Amino acid sequence: MGLTRWLLRQAAMHPRPLVVTAVYGTRARLLTEAELARRSWVPADAPGEANLLIVCGHASHELDEAVRTVWSDMSGPRARVDVPSEASPHQVTQALEHATEQLGDAQAQWQDAAARVAAPWVPGSSDAGDQAAMHEGGHGTSDEHEHEGGGHLNQEQAGGEAEHGAHGGHGGGHHEHHMGSPGGLPMAERGPDRDGLSLDRLHVPLGPILADWPSGLVVETVLQGDVIQEATVKVMPGIGTGGSFWDEPWIMAAEGHPVSRAEAARRRAAARLDGLGRLLAVAGWASAAGQGRSLRDRLLADAPPAELAPPYTRFARRVRRSRTLRWMLRNVGAIGEGDALSRLERWLAATSAAIAALDDNTPLEEQPPSRHEPEGLLPHLLIGAELATARLIVASLDPDLDRNQVAHV
């Protein structure tokens, strides 16, 4: 066996998937994450770590443009699979099996590499190679980048910057695709910092492709160092109908379908555990995040209440006892209802109450739980925050952007 084929087989046996979720792609994401956990595949934090790109849901034009940019930046061997919003668990399994076959297919990987070599990127040319691939989704010429104030950062760099802030590492490195600016980051202008010095500022968008980031959310920031000077929130449109996955029991009840409180409680507990998993992952506590997501998957797989309450009690006790986590979240993202730490405590209590209600088969009559809307809150909370803190703020608010979307069918 040649070295190349051995390396390809290793890549196929231990893929590093990067999961991208479109608006209305939550159900596909949850099925995918459950299958990845079952296979013990460790998700990548940034495109530079990934050799498998998984797109969950139907990507809008804007998201598809970002996905193609990330795909063009991924090194070989690589594979991409698309999981539709309505995919079944069996279809998810088949898609991942197909991905492993792609990663281990020497001929396909050679053809992919040859296609890249045939059109190499040439510094200073906006028409050739990967540069052209990056722009085929409609970015336009480099002049247009200048005109837009450099609003489109390549996603690996965006992910790397965010991971630098959140985890203290670059998580896959940076590529310099744009000459004349540091690391490809488009320059803004100089401005006064907190100490009165005049320093350079950079335009850095956070999202839409970023590990443990709400689907469809983009925060256009102006950074000075790692401090956010300006923040503008955008929500990408979704392709689909039907509303939020987390609100389905309440939507069905409103349409006249018989729905029990137990069904709503199961979905509510899973939603809170999903948010807890994201917050703990951003905080750098991977094992606790995995524990919460495992409980979420068991809830969505209709595990009986007796099998959920004891492990959840242990999980909640472990999270509450972490002094480091409490120190990280205290006084972060404070709004009228409290800071990130108080929101964490409410999530834990709400999840416990929801699990206790899994035997309640009376008809559902109440309204769905409220969620934060990012457009009004985030700019005020993020300005003046460091990147790592900004990631915690966003995760602690856990916005559900599948709600109130302008959908495109």
Side-chain angles (χ1 to χ4, degrees):
M1 179 185 297
L3 177 60
T4 299
R5 292 187 180 279
W6 182 84
L7 290 172
L8 287 175
R9 195 175 73 169
Q10 294 301 310
M13 290 173 60
H14 307 286
R16 293 296 305 275
L18 178 68
V19 179
V20 177
T21 309
V23 174
Y24 300 127
T26 300
R27 182 175 178 278
R29 172 179 65 83
L30 294 169
L31 290 174
T32 299
E33 289 182 352
E35 182 63 20
L36 295 181
R38 190 184 70 79
R39 294 167 180 254
S40 300
W41 291 2
V42 181
D45 288 331
E49 299 177 352
N51 61 359
L52 172 58
L53 182 63
I54 304 175
V55 181
C56 298
H58 302 287
S60 63
H61 172 75
E62 292 88 344
L63 180 61
D64 185 60
E65 183 178 340
V67 167
R68 284 189 289 174
T69 300
V70 168
W71 175 247
S72 69
D73 280 353
M74 286 174 59
S75 59
R78 61 180 185 171
R80 170 179 170 171
V81 295
D82 292 80
V83 181
S85 301
E86 63 278 5
S88 66
H90 177 65
Q91 289 172 317
V92 172
T93 301
Q94 284 187 319
L96 297 183
E97 289 293 338
H98 179 63
T100 59
E101 292 173 3
Q102 282 185 278
L103 286 171
D105 187 337
Q107 183 176 1
Q109 295 300 331
W110 277 118
Q111 289 175 347
D112 182 42
R116 293 188 176 196
V117 172
W121 173 66
V122 179
S125 170
S126 61
D127 299 325
D130 287 347
Q131 187 75 351
M134 288 178 58
H135 290 260
E136 63 182 337
H139 280 268
T141 67
S142 58
D143 289 338
E144 289 169 340
H145 277 269
E146 293 293 331
H147 176 70
E148 295 167 359
H152 292 283
L153 170 68
N154 96 47
Q155 296 300 318
E156 178 173 358
Q157 290 158 343
E161 284 295 326
E163 290 306 309
H164 178 82
H167 301 295
H170 285 269
H174 299 266
H175 292 180
E176 296 188 5
H177 291 268
H178 302 270
M179 301 299 288
S181 58
L185 294 174
M187 296 292 293
E189 70 284 344
R190 290 192 173 187
D193 74 344
R194 292 179 293 187
D195 299 322
L197 302 175
S198 181
L199 300 177
D200 290 332
R201 305 195 300 179
L202 301 176
H203 290 288
V204 179
L206 304 179
I209 301 177
L210 197 58
D212 299 306
W213 184 258
S215 59
L217 179 64
V218 179
V219 181
E220 301 277 1
T221 68
V222 173
L223 291 179
Q224 201 170 48
D226 64 346
V227 178
I228 296 176
Q229 301 288 322
E230 300 175 15
T232 304
V233 174
K234 296 196 308 183
V235 178
M236 287 192 165
I239 297 179
T241 57
S244 167
F245 169 81
W246 300 118
D247 290 345
E248 282 182 354
W250 292 270
I251 294 173
M252 293 180 64
E255 293 174 348
H257 299 284
V259 179
S260 69
R261 287 184 174 176
E263 294 174 78
R266 186 174 291 275
R267 192 64 62 93
R268 179 182 300 171
R272 290 278 66 109
L273 284 166
D274 188 56
L276 282 164
R278 181 179 296 116
L279 177 59
L280 294 171
V282 171
W285 198 3
S287 63
Q291 190 178 0
R293 286 166 172 163
S294 175
L295 285 166
R296 174 203 65 188
D297 295 341
R298 293 170 65 182
L299 271 162
L300 294 175
D302 293 331
E307 295 182 8
L308 294 168
Y312 175 73
T313 301
R314 291 192 293 272
F315 166 75
R317 184 187 305 122
R318 182 187 183 195
V319 172
R320 287 190 173 107
R321 284 182 174 177
S322 172
R323 294 183 179 179
T324 303
L325 184 65
R326 299 177 71 84
W327 172 77
M328 291 177 70
L329 299 182
R330 185 173 290 114
N331 299 323
V332 168
I335 53 179
E337 63 179 18
D339 57 11
L341 180 60
S342 64
R343 289 193 284 276
L344 171 74
E345 181 55 43
R346 279 197 299 275
W347 290 0
L348 291 170
T351 306
S352 179
I355 290 177
L358 291 180
D359 289 325
D360 186 352
N361 290 316
T362 58
L364 176 65
E365 296 176 350
E366 61 198 63
Q367 295 297 313
S370 61
R371 303 288 286 266
H372 294 290
E373 296 185 4
E375 293 94 331
L377 282 174
L378 281 181
H380 170 69
L381 293 175
L382 297 183
I383 292 175
E386 297 178 352
L387 269 178
T389 304
R391 292 293 312 270
L392 289 172
I393 291 171
V394 173
S396 72
L397 293 174
D398 192 29
D400 181 3
L401 302 183
D402 290 1
R403 285 184 171 180
N404 304 320
Q405 273 285 320
V406 178
H408 301 278
V409 181

